[in-house]
mmCIF file of all heavy atoms in Angstrom:
data_model
loop_
_atom_site.group_PDB
_atom_site.id
_atom_site.type_symbol
_atom_site.label_atom_id
_atom_site.label_comp_id
_atom_site.label_asym_id
_atom_site.label_seq_id
_atom_site.Cartn_x
_atom_site.Cartn_y
_atom_site.Cartn_z
ATOM 1 N N ALA A 81 -73.434 -64.636 2.106
ATOM 2 C CA ALA A 81 -74.498 -65.458 1.540
ATOM 3 C C ALA A 81 -74.597 -66.760 2.312
ATOM 4 O O ALA A 81 -73.835 -67.692 2.107
ATOM 5 C CB ALA A 81 -74.212 -65.741 0.060
ATOM 6 N N LYS A 83 -76.428 -69.213 2.281
ATOM 7 C CA LYS A 83 -76.696 -70.487 1.592
ATOM 8 C C LYS A 83 -75.395 -71.268 1.417
ATOM 9 O O LYS A 83 -75.404 -72.479 1.328
ATOM 10 C CB LYS A 83 -77.359 -70.257 0.233
ATOM 11 C CG LYS A 83 -76.419 -69.755 -0.846
ATOM 12 C CD LYS A 83 -77.157 -69.081 -1.984
ATOM 13 C CE LYS A 83 -77.740 -67.794 -1.449
ATOM 14 N NZ LYS A 83 -78.126 -66.843 -2.492
ATOM 15 N N GLU A 102 -76.865 -62.441 4.145
ATOM 16 C CA GLU A 102 -77.909 -62.595 3.116
ATOM 17 C C GLU A 102 -78.581 -63.932 3.358
ATOM 18 O O GLU A 102 -77.907 -64.936 3.624
ATOM 19 C CB GLU A 102 -77.254 -62.559 1.732
ATOM 20 C CG GLU A 102 -78.229 -62.677 0.572
ATOM 21 C CD GLU A 102 -78.297 -64.062 -0.045
ATOM 22 O OE1 GLU A 102 -77.640 -64.991 0.468
ATOM 23 O OE2 GLU A 102 -79.013 -64.230 -1.026
ATOM 24 N N ASN A 125 -83.023 -62.815 -0.439
ATOM 25 C CA ASN A 125 -83.226 -63.127 -1.850
ATOM 26 C C ASN A 125 -84.125 -64.342 -1.988
ATOM 27 O O ASN A 125 -84.274 -65.117 -1.068
ATOM 28 C CB ASN A 125 -81.876 -63.501 -2.485
ATOM 29 C CG ASN A 125 -81.082 -62.314 -2.919
ATOM 30 O OD1 ASN A 125 -81.523 -61.554 -3.775
ATOM 31 N ND2 ASN A 125 -79.921 -62.106 -2.308
ATOM 32 N N ARG A 179 -84.459 -57.074 -8.101
ATOM 33 C CA ARG A 179 -83.393 -57.891 -8.673
ATOM 34 C C ARG A 179 -83.550 -57.967 -10.194
ATOM 35 O O ARG A 179 -84.597 -58.332 -10.702
ATOM 36 C CB ARG A 179 -83.447 -59.317 -8.103
ATOM 37 C CG ARG A 179 -82.396 -60.216 -8.731
ATOM 38 C CD ARG A 179 -82.268 -61.536 -8.012
ATOM 39 N NE ARG A 179 -81.215 -62.339 -8.618
ATOM 40 C CZ ARG A 179 -80.712 -63.437 -8.118
ATOM 41 N NH1 ARG A 179 -81.186 -63.884 -6.979
ATOM 42 N NH2 ARG A 179 -79.764 -64.112 -8.738
ATOM 43 N N HIS A 228 -80.432 -54.682 -7.660
ATOM 44 C CA HIS A 228 -79.592 -55.834 -7.381
ATOM 45 C C HIS A 228 -79.358 -56.690 -8.623
ATOM 46 O O HIS A 228 -80.285 -56.917 -9.391
ATOM 47 C CB HIS A 228 -80.298 -56.685 -6.317
ATOM 48 C CG HIS A 228 -79.661 -58.023 -6.024
ATOM 49 N ND1 HIS A 228 -80.154 -59.213 -6.472
ATOM 50 C CD2 HIS A 228 -78.576 -58.350 -5.289
ATOM 51 C CE1 HIS A 228 -79.409 -60.216 -6.040
ATOM 52 N NE2 HIS A 228 -78.428 -59.723 -5.310
ATOM 53 N N HIS A 230 -77.054 -60.382 -9.319
ATOM 54 C CA HIS A 230 -76.045 -61.403 -8.966
ATOM 55 C C HIS A 230 -75.745 -62.132 -10.263
ATOM 56 O O HIS A 230 -76.614 -62.802 -10.801
ATOM 57 C CB HIS A 230 -76.630 -62.348 -7.909
ATOM 58 C CG HIS A 230 -75.822 -63.581 -7.664
ATOM 59 N ND1 HIS A 230 -74.532 -63.546 -7.175
ATOM 60 C CD2 HIS A 230 -76.105 -64.887 -7.845
ATOM 61 C CE1 HIS A 230 -74.085 -64.793 -7.066
ATOM 62 N NE2 HIS A 230 -75.010 -65.622 -7.478
ATOM 63 N N GLY A 232 -73.745 -64.576 -10.835
ATOM 64 C CA GLY A 232 -73.565 -66.021 -10.689
ATOM 65 C C GLY A 232 -72.439 -66.313 -9.732
ATOM 66 O O GLY A 232 -71.843 -65.413 -9.173
ATOM 67 N N SER A 233 -72.201 -67.614 -9.531
ATOM 68 C CA SER A 233 -71.184 -68.031 -8.573
ATOM 69 C C SER A 233 -69.903 -68.411 -9.307
ATOM 70 O O SER A 233 -69.953 -68.825 -10.463
ATOM 71 C CB SER A 233 -71.727 -69.214 -7.787
ATOM 72 O OG SER A 233 -70.995 -69.379 -6.605
ATOM 73 N N GLN A 234 -68.775 -68.258 -8.612
ATOM 74 C CA GLN A 234 -67.446 -68.612 -9.178
ATOM 75 C C GLN A 234 -67.289 -67.956 -10.550
ATOM 76 O O GLN A 234 -67.082 -68.620 -11.569
ATOM 77 C CB GLN A 234 -67.278 -70.142 -9.241
ATOM 78 C CG GLN A 234 -65.898 -70.646 -9.638
ATOM 79 C CD GLN A 234 -64.840 -70.403 -8.546
ATOM 80 O OE1 GLN A 234 -65.132 -70.011 -7.433
ATOM 81 N NE2 GLN A 234 -63.590 -70.614 -8.874
ATOM 82 N N GLY A 269 -74.244 -58.459 -5.666
ATOM 83 C CA GLY A 269 -74.377 -59.907 -5.468
ATOM 84 C C GLY A 269 -73.096 -60.573 -4.991
ATOM 85 O O GLY A 269 -72.202 -59.925 -4.448
ATOM 86 N N GLY A 270 -73.038 -61.883 -5.207
ATOM 87 C CA GLY A 270 -71.854 -62.654 -4.809
ATOM 88 C C GLY A 270 -71.044 -63.021 -6.029
ATOM 89 O O GLY A 270 -71.079 -62.324 -7.042
ATOM 90 N N GLY A 271 -70.316 -64.142 -5.946
ATOM 91 C CA GLY A 271 -69.647 -64.657 -7.130
ATOM 92 C C GLY A 271 -68.154 -64.472 -7.187
ATOM 93 O O GLY A 271 -67.512 -64.928 -8.139
ATOM 94 N N ILE A 272 -67.570 -63.790 -6.189
ATOM 95 C CA ILE A 272 -66.106 -63.663 -6.194
ATOM 96 C C ILE A 272 -65.524 -65.077 -6.117
ATOM 97 O O ILE A 272 -65.889 -65.858 -5.241
ATOM 98 C CB ILE A 272 -65.626 -62.778 -5.031
ATOM 99 C CG1 ILE A 272 -66.086 -61.340 -5.291
ATOM 100 C CG2 ILE A 272 -64.098 -62.842 -4.884
ATOM 101 C CD1 ILE A 272 -65.981 -60.425 -4.127
ATOM 102 N N GLU A 332 -72.616 -59.741 -1.773
ATOM 103 C CA GLU A 332 -73.141 -60.923 -1.095
ATOM 104 C C GLU A 332 -72.176 -62.109 -1.253
ATOM 105 O O GLU A 332 -72.489 -63.094 -1.886
ATOM 106 C CB GLU A 332 -74.503 -61.315 -1.690
ATOM 107 C CG GLU A 332 -75.547 -60.224 -1.617
ATOM 108 C CD GLU A 332 -76.789 -60.530 -2.435
ATOM 109 O OE1 GLU A 332 -76.710 -61.371 -3.371
ATOM 110 O OE2 GLU A 332 -77.841 -59.937 -2.169
ATOM 111 N N PRO A 333 -70.993 -62.029 -0.680
ATOM 112 C CA PRO A 333 -70.016 -63.102 -0.885
ATOM 113 C C PRO A 333 -70.367 -64.345 -0.054
ATOM 114 O O PRO A 333 -70.709 -64.245 1.118
ATOM 115 C CB PRO A 333 -68.721 -62.484 -0.346
ATOM 116 C CG PRO A 333 -69.171 -61.498 0.693
ATOM 117 C CD PRO A 333 -70.502 -60.978 0.231
ATOM 118 N N GLY A 334 -70.305 -65.496 -0.670
ATOM 119 C CA GLY A 334 -70.510 -66.753 0.044
ATOM 120 C C GLY A 334 -69.269 -67.600 -0.032
ATOM 121 O O GLY A 334 -68.470 -67.709 0.915
ATOM 122 N N ARG A 335 -69.059 -68.153 -1.221
ATOM 123 C CA ARG A 335 -67.918 -69.024 -1.495
ATOM 124 C C ARG A 335 -66.587 -68.405 -1.043
ATOM 125 O O ARG A 335 -65.744 -69.086 -0.449
ATOM 126 C CB ARG A 335 -67.895 -69.224 -3.020
ATOM 127 C CG ARG A 335 -67.161 -70.392 -3.526
ATOM 128 C CD ARG A 335 -67.252 -70.393 -5.045
ATOM 129 N NE ARG A 335 -68.524 -70.829 -5.585
ATOM 130 C CZ ARG A 335 -68.898 -72.107 -5.691
ATOM 131 N NH1 ARG A 335 -68.101 -73.050 -5.284
ATOM 132 N NH2 ARG A 335 -70.070 -72.422 -6.205
ATOM 133 N N SER A 336 -66.378 -67.116 -1.345
ATOM 134 C CA SER A 336 -65.085 -66.500 -1.054
ATOM 135 C C SER A 336 -64.851 -66.350 0.451
ATOM 136 O O SER A 336 -63.734 -66.058 0.885
ATOM 137 C CB SER A 336 -64.955 -65.149 -1.755
ATOM 138 O OG SER A 336 -66.057 -64.324 -1.442
ATOM 139 N N TYR A 443 -71.219 -74.723 0.044
ATOM 140 C CA TYR A 443 -72.197 -75.536 -0.675
ATOM 141 C C TYR A 443 -71.929 -77.030 -0.469
ATOM 142 O O TYR A 443 -71.961 -77.814 -1.410
ATOM 143 C CB TYR A 443 -72.221 -75.163 -2.162
ATOM 144 C CG TYR A 443 -72.452 -73.688 -2.370
ATOM 145 C CD1 TYR A 443 -71.413 -72.835 -2.757
ATOM 146 C CD2 TYR A 443 -73.702 -73.117 -2.119
ATOM 147 C CE1 TYR A 443 -71.604 -71.468 -2.902
ATOM 148 C CE2 TYR A 443 -73.908 -71.751 -2.257
ATOM 149 C CZ TYR A 443 -72.865 -70.941 -2.652
ATOM 150 O OH TYR A 443 -73.069 -69.590 -2.776
HETATM 151 C C1 PLP B 18 -78.400 -63.971 -4.921
HETATM 152 C C2 PLP B 18 -77.117 -64.588 -4.543
HETATM 153 N N1 PLP B 18 -76.228 -63.852 -3.859
HETATM 154 C C3 PLP B 18 -75.049 -64.354 -3.482
HETATM 155 C C4 PLP B 18 -74.686 -65.652 -3.784
HETATM 156 C C5 PLP B 18 -73.364 -66.150 -3.322
HETATM 157 O O1 PLP B 18 -72.514 -66.433 -4.366
HETATM 158 P P1 PLP B 18 -71.018 -66.877 -4.061
HETATM 159 O O2 PLP B 18 -71.105 -67.981 -3.079
HETATM 160 O O3 PLP B 18 -70.486 -67.336 -5.354
HETATM 161 O O4 PLP B 18 -70.305 -65.695 -3.524
HETATM 162 C C6 PLP B 18 -75.582 -66.454 -4.504
HETATM 163 C C7 PLP B 18 -75.206 -67.825 -4.876
HETATM 164 O O5 PLP B 18 -75.104 -68.144 -6.030
HETATM 165 C C8 PLP B 18 -76.841 -65.912 -4.876
HETATM 166 O O6 PLP B 18 -77.731 -66.642 -5.547
#
Side-chain angles (χ1 to χ4, degrees):
K83 76 200 68 162
E102 182 259 4
N125 276 297
R179 177 170 182 170
H228 173 256
H230 168 63
S233 199
Q234 188 70 8
I272 292 166
E332 301 169 340
R335 201 181 283 282
S336 53
Y443 306 105

